[in-house]
Amino acid sequence: MAVAIGRDIAHAVAILKRGGLVAFPTETVYGLGADARSPQAVGRIYAAKGRPSNHPVIVHLAGAAQLAEWSSDVTPLAQKLAARFWPGPLTLILRRAAGVGDFVTGGQDTVGLRVPSHPVAQALLEAFGGGIAAPSANRFGRVSTTTAQHVAQELGERVDYVLDGGASEIGIESTIIDAGGAQPVLLRPGQLSVREIEAVAGSAVQAPRADAPRVSGALAAHYAPATTLLLLESDLLLELAATLAKQGKRVAVLARSALQPLLDGIVWIAAPADAVGYAHDLYANLRALDAAGCEAILVEQPPKDLAWSAVNDRLLRAAAGSQQAAAK
Ligand code: TXA
Ligand code: MG
C-alpha cells in the first residue's frame, strides 16, 4: 500500500497528536514533521530518514510570538531578523529554552527555529498549536524533496501522511543564521542572501568558527543522487559527455547555458539560466536525471557569484557525495 497523499489538515494534526509522522510542504522544500515535544515521535523521524541521532532538527512554529517558548535568549538580532523575514526561508539558531529536548537539539545548547510561509504549513502549524520538528523529507544524505509525489517516492510508508501543497516555490533549503550573538553567523546559505540579512542586522555576516554548531546540511557530502555526479565547466563537460557517449555509455547532463546536446543518447535537461529558476527546479531535475539510469550525471558549473552561492553549495555537496560513494 502506498502512503496517503492529501490536503486534510485535521487528519494531519490527528496523526501528529498521536505521535505519527506527517510530511508537509514549505516554500523551501518538503519537511518530515513530528511533534517537537515528543521524544518518541521525533525518534521516528530519525528512523525514517536513516539519520544519525546526534543531528539536530529544526522546530517549525506558527509565528514569532512562540519564540520565547523555545529559546531562553531571543537576542535583539533574532528579533530584528524574525520581524523582517518571518514567515519565510530563514532558520535562526538560538539558545534553547529549558525543556527543549536533546532529541531535537542533538544534545546541543541551541535550537533551530523557523516560521515557514507556505499556506499549507501555516495552516498545519496553526491547527496543531505547538512546534513541529522537521528536517527535509528525504533519506539521510540524499536529494531533498520539493513535491508530495517525490516525498512518497523517497519515504513511502515510513511516513504516515503526506500533505500536498504543490511544488515548493524556492526549491532549496532555508538560510541558517546563528543569531545567538550580536553579529549574524551564516551556517547554511539559502535564497535569502547574506546581503539582505546584513541590511537588516546592520552588521556583517560572519563565517562560522571551526567549533560552530553541527549542521548536517553542511556535511561535505549531502544532497547526493545515487548516480555519480560531476560538476564541470562547459568545455570539459562537453568533452566528457562525448567520450562517454562514444563508449556506448548513457550520460545525463544538467546544462544551464546555451549548451546544446551535440550527440544522441544523452539525457539532457536545460536548467533555467537564472539562479532563482535554477534553484526552483534543482532537486526535481536531479531526481529526473538520477532515475534515467545513466553512468554519470554531468552538471555544468554555474557562475560563482553571490546570487548562485546557495545553488553552488548544494551542487558541491552533491558532487562530494558521489566522490565518497566512489571511494568506498
Ligand atoms: O528549509 C529548510 O530549512 C527545511 C524545511 C523543511 O524547513 N528543513 C531542513 O532541515 O532543511 P534539515 O534537517 O534537512 O536541515 C536543517 C539543518 C541541519 O543541517 C541541522 O544540522 C541544522 O539545520 N540545525 C538544526 N538545529 C540546529 C542547531 N541547534 N544548531 C546548528 N544547526 C542546527
Ligand atoms: Mg536536509
Side-chain angles (χ1 to χ4, degrees):
M1 234 183 61
V3 56
I5 299 179
R7 295 173 179 267
D8 188 342
I9 298 284
H11 181 56
V13 169
I15 292 171
L16 291 175
K17 295 239 187 232
R18 62 166 190 260
L21 297 185
V22 172
F24 62 97
T26 84
E27 67 278 21
T28 57
V29 297
Y30 273 65
L32 176 60
D35 179 352
R37 294 287 187 195
S38 162
Q40 291 79 17
V42 175
R44 291 193 56 205
I45 294 179
Y46 288 94
K49 281 193 67 125
R51 187 186 210 191
S53 60
N54 62 349
H55 285 279
V57 288
I58 296 171
V59 177
H60 297 70
L61 306 174
Q66 292 173 357
L67 259 178
E69 293 168 34
W70 295 87
S71 171
S72 61
D73 186 13
V74 183
T75 59
L77 172 63
Q79 286 169 16
K80 270 199 256 181
L81 294 176
R84 173 65 184 81
F85 296 117
W86 280 355
L90 172 68
T91 296
L92 296 176
I93 307 296
L94 291 170
R95 179 165 297 277
R96 69 171 155 182
V100 177
D102 282 344
F103 54 90
V104 160
T105 69
Q108 303 182 83
D109 233 16
T110 54
V111 60
L113 300 166
R114 173 159 115 81
V115 176
S117 65
H118 193 293
V120 174
Q122 275 285 327
L124 178 69
L125 286 158
E126 286 287 349
F128 181 65
I132 299 180
S136 52
N138 53 277
R139 300 277 293 160
F140 182 64
R142 293 297 173 193
V143 179
S144 305
T145 51
T146 51
T147 69
Q149 289 69 31
H150 291 165
V151 176
Q153 286 161 18
E154 178 80 11
L155 296 171
E157 285 173 68
R158 293 185 175 94
V159 48
D160 298 310
Y161 187 57
V162 183
L163 269 176
D164 189 353
S168 293
E169 194 186 328
I170 294 174
I172 54 174
E173 301 79 359
S174 60
T175 305
I176 303 184
I177 295 287
D178 181 342
Q183 288 191 316
V185 179
L186 181 69
L187 299 183
R188 181 176 69 185
Q191 192 176 93
L192 180 64
S193 77
V194 163
R195 293 289 166 269
E196 290 169 274
I197 288 166
E198 286 176 338
V200 172
S203 66
V205 169
Q206 311 292 307
R209 297 185 345 193
D211 61 349
R214 287 187 301 273
V215 182
S216 74
L219 290 176
H222 220 80
Y223 313 110
T227 312
T228 298
L229 182 149
L230 300 170
L231 188 55
L232 301 163
E233 297 295 344
S234 329
D235 44 351
L236 256 176
L237 183 150
L238 286 179
E239 225 172 273
L240 184 57
T243 308
L244 290 169
K246 273 183 207 141
Q247 291 170 359
K249 291 179 174 149
R250 275 168 64 78
V251 194
V253 171
L254 182 58
R256 66 156 286 281
S257 66
L259 273 191
Q260 293 294 323
L262 299 174
L263 297 158
D264 293 340
I266 298 186
V267 182
W268 191 278
I269 293 183
D274 66 296
V276 168
Y278 191 104
H280 178 271
D281 294 356
L282 176 62
Y283 291 138
N285 284 341
L286 290 181
R287 277 174 189 281
L289 294 174
D290 205 12
C294 292
E295 195 81 15
I297 300 172
L298 311 184
V299 178
E300 183 183 7
Q301 172 70 58
K304 291 186 174 154
D305 50 84
L306 186 70
W308 289 86
S309 62
V311 162
N312 282 326
D313 170 77
R314 305 309 189 275
L315 287 175
L316 275 172
R317 294 181 206 287
S322 293
Q323 274 164 19
Q324 257 190 14
K328 273 185 192 151

